[in-house]
Amino acid sequence: MADIDDAAFDRLAARLTDPATPMPKLTNVLTGEAAAAAGHAFLVSEYGSEEALDAVLRAAGRPRLGEQPKGASPVVRGRIPVADRAAFDELIRETGKKESELVREAVHLLLEQHRKAS
């Protein structure tokens, strides 16, 4: 929205948040595979090529863990008692580390203790 003054913005906001304002009729709604294909085609057109899109998508997201060049890192899940969770949350606050970082440290220490660490 270019160069909109406060009064015009307030009128627009009031109209867009008013439940009595009718919604426009939807046309050309894509779902499933058709939506995925259209989205992919749009991204390729925006980035210029499949290679450029692949490079952007590969660069985005979390940093890689381990030696794998591509794909999701392995995930470990488990349940713990409420008291342990409370203590773990306290440790997160005290150390300023993220939960996942502390879990990786804990798993590594356990593996070292059992002489299985890499």
Side-chain angles (χ1 to χ4, degrees):
M1 288 190 246
D3 300 324
I4 186 168
D5 64 22
D6 288 344
F9 181 82
D10 289 342
R11 287 192 302 276
L12 176 62
R15 192 185 78 204
L16 293 176
T17 57
D18 181 2
T21 301
M23 294 291 293
K25 183 174 171 108
L26 299 177
T27 58
N28 290 336
V29 175
L30 300 176
T31 60
E33 292 296 321
H40 183 79
F42 171 76
L43 289 172
V44 169
S45 71
E46 288 296 306
Y47 285 98
S49 69
E50 289 280 349
E51 293 77 21
L53 175 59
D54 188 48
V56 168
L57 292 176
R58 202 173 323 117
R62 297 182 182 117
R64 293 285 320 128
L65 295 174
E67 301 299 319
Q68 296 179 27
K70 195 172 184 181
S73 297
V75 175
V76 176
R77 293 180 53 133
R79 296 179 186 269
I80 60 175
V82 173
D84 287 352
R85 180 62 208 213
F88 189 61
D89 289 339
E90 185 177 329
L91 185 61
I92 290 169
R93 283 190 300 277
E94 288 174 0
T95 63
K97 293 181 178 180
K98 292 184 179 181
E99 179 178 297
S100 58
E101 188 177 357
L102 289 174
V103 169
R104 282 191 294 273
E105 282 183 32
V107 168
H108 188 74
L109 288 172
L110 182 63
L111 291 172
E112 280 183 339
Q113 179 182 345
H114 290 273
R115 293 179 175 77
K116 304 275 187 195
S118 55

